Amino acid sequence: MKPMETWWKESVIYQIYPRSFNDSNDDGIGDLNGIRERLDYLADLGVDVLWLSPVYQSPNADNGYDISDYQAIMDEFGTMEDFDLLLKEAHEKGLKIVMDLVVNHTSDEHEWFVESRKSKDNPYRDYYIWKDGKADQAPNNWGSAFSGPAWKYDEQTGQWYLHIFAEKQPDLNWENERVRQSVYKMMTWWLDKGIDGFRMDVINLISKDQAFPDGETHGGAYGNSMEFCCNGPRVHAYLKEMNKEVLSKYDIVTVGEAPGATIEEAQRYAGSEENELNMVFQFEMMDIDHGKYGKWSPMPFDLKKMKANFKKWQEGLDGRGWNSLYWDNHDQPRIVSRWGSDKKAWRKKSAKMLALCLHMHQGTPYIYQGEELGMTNVRFPSIDAYHDIEILNAYRELVKETGAMREEEFMEGVYKLSRDNARTPMQWSDEAYAGFSSVEPWIGVNPNYTEINAKQEIADPDSVFHFYQRLIALRHTNKVVPYGTYRQYMEEDDNVYVFTREYEGQKLLVACNFSEQPQTVEWPDALLEEGYTPWIGNDSLKPFEKAVTLTPYEGIVWIKEETKKA
Ligand code: GLC
Ligand code: CA
């Protein structure tokens, strides 16, 4: 079935992590006016939509993903007037703004929770999930995604509250209709201000199995809560309700973060006939290199796993839903270090190959700040230089408390897959602190900013930045890029990824070499067609022949246009 054409399918979305993007008032913390100063840079890159990680009032236990007031701006980021000006100027430049909606949980400093914890008969008590424990024991064995138990005992009323994430992030009780109505009202307030959509934080966790059964421990101290929280019993009903009461009234874009979502679930969340969301961020791809202790025990990259995952999702949503396409975000390491190569010889080339690969798929691509420069992972000298609560809690539990991992072993995981890799300041120039601020930033700058920075890349026509610019432009001018039907070839090849895209008389043949060696590709018969001309690539463009040798990390696209009959 042909996908329905619409603006958000033809858009490229750029994610900003405000804390690390640009500091306008020299306190070492990025802010809203800092974003405003860089709107021309973003417009020049050519992206259509900016997604802002949370900018709301927050005590920052999890960098803004713990919100204490949904209708106020975090002091460090500016004021509501600054926000309104940012929205206005962005719109004037043709850029839309998507807000992060974090409503699986709030901060424990949110007024609703402050009230809720006061007494069992407080009107806000049922805004959160309170349970009796057994003697001194939590209501069940669930572990938190940030280590330790998922329940916290509260002296005042002698009950426990659920927090799937940090203690300071109590889960909202979506079973309570008043909670849902309060959330919808808040969403409507933002949409009426003129924002262009929502990225919804862990939205597939909002409906919990109301029996709250113990989870599998897999030999660890805590049970897995995810099978009772992810894609829970009423999640689709809640999203349909949200869609009906709020989303359907506006011309906006929505994307749900959905860890643990299978393709079957995604067909429902992002199904074009389902009236829930436009698309979801899936995690199956992001988990392919996780080992025994998840991200703390990285596994070697396996291209075949990646290819199998693309095939499943591209085919599974074709004509019935829509994919989001991403390599990086604030929770993932830098893709060039992860599945490309950040060695000097290959960084630039592999960053371009990865960009080409992702942007040639069907779906809406997301670019995370700095990805368009080929920014890399960082290795801070010791654990003390890290800030992320996920890293620090896991370090305490796995290294200090249980001794399950040796320090050096754990740090390798941190270097390869931890979230702070993505959170170092944006590298604007080779000036002090990478031009992000004039004072020492809240988190260390990646020392490679002297070589990798926006100023230098803008000046260099052959840079990663300009390659992204071209990819974005091609998506805007050729419908085969967003909409084309996907087909994969040579599935068994360990090094090369080959696929085609077809739409209304245009056909693309994409080939990417994920290895550091040249690879000679002999095309299967089905691909041996006449009429392909080279279209875009990260090496000198070569003609399409029976056998083609791809250079290390080469990515290339050939195009074929159906000759119009006279
Ligand atoms: C999401 C966010 C992540 C945050 C977590 C809890 O996964 O992307 O940054 O820590 O939810 O809100
Ligand atoms: Ca600032």
Side-chain angles (χ1 to χ4, degrees):
M1 207 174 79
K2 200 176 146 213
M4 223 209 9
E5 295 185 1
T6 182
W7 65 267
W8 48 261
K9 294 184 180 172
E10 296 168 20
S11 293
V12 176
I13 303 184
Y14 186 96
Q15 183 191 353
I16 293 179
Y17 196 65
R19 203 170 194 78
S20 301
F21 190 64
N22 189 36
D23 176 18
S24 72
N25 63 344
D26 300 320
D27 61 356
I29 298 172
D31 45 58
L32 295 180
N33 287 330
I35 299 173
R36 199 156 54 79
E37 289 173 2
R38 302 292 183 174
L39 288 176
D40 285 335
Y41 168 85
L42 298 164
D44 185 36
L45 178 60
V47 297
D48 307 277
V49 180
L50 309 177
W51 146 31
L52 307 184
S53 275
V55 297
Y56 318 91
Q57 198 64 257
S58 163
N60 282 306
D62 186 21
N63 285 353
Y65 283 90
D66 50 319
I67 297 168
S68 54
D69 186 346
Y70 290 104
Q71 281 159 247
I73 298 295
M74 191 191 303
D75 295 332
E76 292 167 325
F77 289 177
T79 63
M80 196 56 80
E81 287 69 46
D82 296 337
F83 179 86
D84 293 339
L85 193 58
L86 172 63
L87 184 64
K88 179 168 167 282
E89 289 193 14
H91 282 171
E92 283 165 6
K93 293 182 198 292
L95 294 163
K96 295 181 190 285
I97 291 198
V98 159
M99 301 293 277
D100 218 310
L101 182 77
V102 188
V103 289
N104 172 67
H105 45 268
T106 68
S107 163
D108 64 343
E109 297 180 34
H110 192 289
E111 193 195 324
W112 297 339
F113 191 77
V114 173
E115 286 300 314
S116 184
R117 96 190 314 174
K118 280 185 182 160
S119 66
K120 287 186 179 172
D121 57 7
N122 187 283
Y124 286 91
R125 186 66 172 181
D126 288 338
Y127 265 54
Y128 296 85
I129 302 170
W130 292 97
K131 297 269 175 239
D132 288 325
K134 310 156 211 144
D136 274 355
Q137 275 196 339
N140 70 20
N141 72 354
W142 292 359
S144 146
F146 289 159
S147 308
W151 297 93
K152 170 92 176 152
Y153 183 71
D154 204 51
E155 294 276 320
Q156 200 147 331
T157 51
Q159 282 193 312
W160 303 70
Y161 68 83
L162 179 70
H163 61 89
I164 294 294
F165 294 91
E167 271 175 33
K168 286 184 69 64
Q169 293 169 300
D171 282 55
L172 282 165
N173 176 20
W174 275 71
E175 297 291 309
N176 179 350
E177 169 153 25
R178 283 179 57 221
V179 166
R180 303 202 300 275
Q181 289 304 326
S182 304
V183 169
Y184 302 156
K185 198 169 146 204
M186 175 273 285
M187 291 171 73
T188 301
W189 185 85
W190 278 101
L191 289 166
D192 286 344
K193 222 182 214 311
I195 65 154
D196 304 287
F198 290 111
R199 174 269 184 185
M200 303 185 186
D201 193 66
V202 289
I203 198 68
N204 67 328
L205 263 55
I206 57 178
S207 165
K208 278 85 177 166
D209 181 334
Q210 293 300 297
F212 293 91
D214 280 341
E216 289 276 350
T217 59
H218 302 289
Y222 300 101
N224 180 9
S225 65
M226 288 303 146
E227 64 180 290
F228 306 108
C229 297
C230 287
N231 316 312
R234 300 185 64 194
V235 66
H236 295 288
Y238 295 153
L239 289 176
K240 285 187 163 61
E241 179 184 82
M242 179 197 282
N243 185 293
K244 180 159 168 268
E245 299 204 13
V246 186
L247 307 175
S248 61
K249 299 179 179 159
Y250 301 85
D251 181 21
I252 53 173
V253 58
T254 55
V255 52
E257 188 200 23
T262 56
I263 184 75
E264 291 76 24
E265 284 295 333
Q267 284 164 347
R268 302 180 66 189
Y269 292 121
S272 33
E273 310 286 309
E274 297 287 335
N275 297 320
E276 295 187 19
L277 304 172
N278 295 149
M279 52 194 143
V280 293
F281 291 129
Q282 56 116 334
F283 280 67
E284 286 184 349
M285 168 97 78
M286 292 296 126
D287 293 344
I288 62 175
D289 55 4
H290 288 193
K292 181 167 177 215
Y293 295 107
K295 64 174 65 173
W296 315 117
S297 359
M299 307 278 284
F301 173 58
D302 180 342
L303 180 67
K304 277 211 278 207
K305 283 191 185 159
M306 191 198 86
K307 294 202 296 191
N309 182 274
F310 267 126
K311 182 175 150 83
K312 172 159 80 168
W313 285 76
Q314 290 283 295
E315 290 177 356
L317 291 181
D318 188 38
R320 47 192 298 188
W322 195 247
N323 269 297
S324 73
L325 306 170
Y326 74 98
W327 289 136
D328 279 358
N329 60 45
H330 66 294
D331 295 330
Q332 300 295 337
R334 295 284 181 182
I335 196 64
V336 67
S337 303
R338 188 182 193 175
W339 295 342
S341 168
D342 57 14
K343 289 185 205 157
K344 212 170 181 142
W346 304 120
R347 183 192 65 85
K348 194 164 136 182
K349 192 169 176 198
S350 68
K352 290 182 188 174
M353 182 278 288
L354 287 159
L356 177 143
C357 177
L358 191 77
H359 285 242
M360 286 299 143
H361 282 88
Q362 189 191 69
T364 298
Y366 290 72
I367 299 174
Y368 177 71
Q369 64 184 47
E371 181 185 333
E372 77 281 16
L373 305 175
M375 273 177 65
T376 68
N377 280 353
V378 71
R379 287 173 87 96
F380 288 134
S382 85
I383 189 74
D384 306 327
Y386 287 86
H387 291 254
D388 176 17
I389 185 169
E390 183 185 50
I391 303 176
L392 301 178
N393 285 1
Y395 176 79
R396 204 181 53 220
E397 181 170 311
L398 294 171
V399 179
K400 293 292 162 194
E401 286 169 10
T402 64
M405 295 185 85
R406 281 177 299 111
E407 170 129 11
E408 312 79 75
E409 197 189 347
F410 181 81
M411 290 311 288
E412 279 310 309
V414 170
Y415 297 146
K416 288 218 168 71
L417 295 179
S418 77
R419 310 197 297 181
D420 273 348
N421 286 305
R423 299 178 180 186
T424 62
M426 176 75 174
Q427 293 166 207
W428 293 106
S429 72
D430 60 4
E431 289 161 64
Y433 308 120
F436 162 80
S437 176
S438 66
V439 303
E440 194 177 340
W442 70 276
I443 189 172
V445 177
N446 191 319
N448 64 20
Y449 72 93
T450 49
E451 293 143 60
I452 306 171
N453 61 69
K455 188 164 171 224
Q456 177 269 322
E457 297 209 17
I458 289 166
D460 171 10
D462 191 38
S463 64
V464 180
F465 176 89
H466 287 296
F467 196 75
Y468 268 88
Q469 208 177 33
R470 286 171 60 206
L471 288 167
I472 297 166
L474 288 178
R475 173 168 293 262
H476 290 152
T477 48
N478 293 270
K479 293 210 164 161
V480 65
V481 180
Y483 299 115
T485 300
Y486 165 98
R487 190 147 176 196
Q488 190 178 136
Y489 295 86
M490 304 172 60
E491 288 164 27
E492 294 309 311
D493 196 297
D494 291 315
N495 300 299
V496 178
Y497 179 20
V498 175
F499 59 96
T500 57
R501 306 283 312 286
E502 264 183 281
Y503 198 67
E504 297 182 340
Q506 279 192 319
K507 183 165 180 182
L508 305 178
L509 170 56
V510 184
C512 294
N513 178 2
F514 274 75
S515 79
E516 215 182 285
Q517 277 79 43
Q519 302 289 340
T520 299
V521 184
E522 292 181 32
W523 309 105
D525 287 347
L527 289 177
L528 287 174
E529 300 172 301
E530 305 276 303
Y532 280 117
T533 50
W535 201 42
I536 182 170
N538 64 353
D539 203 335
S540 50
L541 291 181
K542 48 185 59 128
F544 180 75
E545 287 170 337
K546 263 197 160 142
V548 169
T549 300
L550 298 172
T551 57
Y553 294 113
E554 179 169 3
I556 180 166
V557 183
W558 290 276
I559 189 167
K560 188 168 105 132
E561 319 241 5
E562 217 169 70
T563 35
K564 305 234 159 54
K565 303 227 167 63

